[in-house]
């Protein structure tokens, strides 16, 4: 199957999904948007009010700020793929629950598998936890890291800067570093996951 068709098939399944209770309250699920051959994939947290209404990611206030950040470093929003860890809006925009993240995980895995982005930018802690579950965004943001063949670039969520204006400059600097990474002026660190507790207990 060609890649565009494979991606559309995943998105069709997400639009009809009933795997977790969030489907009951949704207006539209939000599979993601962007070209199947995108080099950069952004993963946010979950759809908010406007995303739920339109079925599109990052179209509210945080989305406008994301567009601004991209524009500032000359990255065309139409050339990147944007999605979320969970594809339906949690009531009142509460944090995603573990069971919801688990129910949606297969969709995100398949999107990554089909798109094969060169860089995955994680926006906020729920998205970062996919690659770096035990880290803090405040410590690792702006540092691209390679896990196996995949480069991850953790960043603060743009909505965080709307609540805490001092983070605006931090996000702007991290987007400059993303530009450097994409242009080959910045190398990702090689990340070796910490040994599992069971492995430690062998010693
Ligand atoms: N915040 C997110 O994490 N995702 C969206 O799509 C919109 C706001």
């Amino acid at each position: 199957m060609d890649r565009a068709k494979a991606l559309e098939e995943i998105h069709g399944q997400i639009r009809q999904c009933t795997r977790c209770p969030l489907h009951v309250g949704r207006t539209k699920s939000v599979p993601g948007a962007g070209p199947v051959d995108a080099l950069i994939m952004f993963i946010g947290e979950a759809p908010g009010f406007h995303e739920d209404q339109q079925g599109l990611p990052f179209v509210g206030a945080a989305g406008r700020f994301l567009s601004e950040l991209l524009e500032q470093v000359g990255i065309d929003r139409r050339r990147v793929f944007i999605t979320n860890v969970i594809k339906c809006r949690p009531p009142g925009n509460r944090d995603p629950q573990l069971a919801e993240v688990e129910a949606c995980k297969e969709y995100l895995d398949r999107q990554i598998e089909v798109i094969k982005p060169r860089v995955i930018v994680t926006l906020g802690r729920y998205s970062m936890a996919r690659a770096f579950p035990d880290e803090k965004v405040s410590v690792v943001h702006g540092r691209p890291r390679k896990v196996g063949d995949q480069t991850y670039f953790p960043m603060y969520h743009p909505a965080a800067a709307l609540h805490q204006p001092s983070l605006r400059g931090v996000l702007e600097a991290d987007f400059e570093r993303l530009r450097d990474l994409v242009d080959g002026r910045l190398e990702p660190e090689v990340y070796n996951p910490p040994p599992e507790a069971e492995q430690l207990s062998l010693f």
Side-chain angles (χ1 to χ4, degrees), residues 63-131:
R64 280 193 295 281
F65 184 39
L66 177 62
S67 297
E68 222 178 279
L69 289 162
L70 286 165
E71 205 176 317
Q72 278 177 24
V73 296
I75 297 175
D76 186 345
R77 178 166 170 159
R78 290 165 306 182
R79 296 291 312 143
V80 302
F81 191 86
I82 304 177
T83 189
N84 286 299
V85 172
I86 63 170
K87 315 300 192 195
C88 294
R89 182 190 182 209
N93 295 346
R94 64 152 169 74
D95 287 346
Q97 292 174 353
L98 193 61
E100 295 157 359
V101 174
E102 284 295 312
C104 253
K105 183 176 180 300
E106 195 229 344
Y107 294 131
L108 185 56
D109 289 344
R110 285 166 62 206
Q111 286 175 310
I112 293 170
E113 180 63 35
V114 171
I115 296 167
K116 296 194 182 358
R118 236 175 77 197
V119 184
I120 293 178
V121 179
T122 62
L123 301 171
R125 66 192 163 110
Y126 287 92
S127 170
M128 185 188 69
R130 180 187 165 81

Side-chain angles (χ1 to χ4, degrees), residues 2-178:
D2 80 36
R3 292 168 68 204
K5 269 204 194 131
L7 190 60
E8 198 32 60
E9 186 173 303
I10 301 165
H11 290 189
Q13 290 167 4
I14 294 171
R15 288 190 194 99
Q16 315 252 319
C17 183
T18 55
R19 284 186 191 173
C20 87
L22 290 182
H23 78 274
V24 176
R26 78 179 171 223
T27 311
K28 290 184 175 175
S29 54
V30 182
V36 70
D37 58 353
L39 296 182
I40 310 174
M41 182 172 191
F42 287 84
I43 306 177
E45 184 176 309
F49 174 82
H50 296 283
E51 290 78 20
D52 170 75
Q53 293 289 307
Q54 297 181 39
L56 292 169
F58 281 92
V59 288
R64 280 193 295 281
F65 184 39
L66 177 62
S67 297
E68 222 178 279
L69 289 162
L70 286 165
E71 205 176 317
Q72 278 177 24
V73 296
I75 297 175
D76 186 345
R77 178 166 170 159
R78 290 165 306 182
R79 296 291 312 143
V80 302
F81 191 86
I82 304 177
T83 189
N84 286 299
V85 172
I86 63 170
K87 315 300 192 195
C88 294
R89 182 190 182 209
N93 295 346
R94 64 152 169 74
D95 287 346
Q97 292 174 353
L98 193 61
E100 295 157 359
V101 174
E102 284 295 312
C104 253
K105 183 176 180 300
E106 195 229 344
Y107 294 131
L108 185 56
D109 289 344
R110 285 166 62 206
Q111 286 175 310
I112 293 170
E113 180 63 35
V114 171
I115 296 167
K116 296 194 182 358
R118 236 175 77 197
V119 184
I120 293 178
V121 179
T122 62
L123 301 171
R125 66 192 163 110
Y126 287 92
S127 170
M128 185 188 69
R130 180 187 165 81
F132 312 117
D134 300 320
E135 310 258 15
K136 283 190 150 63
V137 182
S138 57
V139 176
V140 299
H141 73 87
R143 282 167 50 194
R145 295 158 139 192
K146 230 171 162 167
V147 183
D149 287 340
Q150 183 64 64
T151 300
Y152 284 90
F153 198 124
M155 291 202 197
Y156 280 102
H157 194 291
L162 302 178
H163 304 298
Q164 205 178 320
S166 62
L167 290 179
R168 178 176 269 266
V170 175
L171 265 160
E172 287 173 344
D174 287 352
F175 268 75
E176 290 290 348
R177 287 172 65 77
L178 175 63

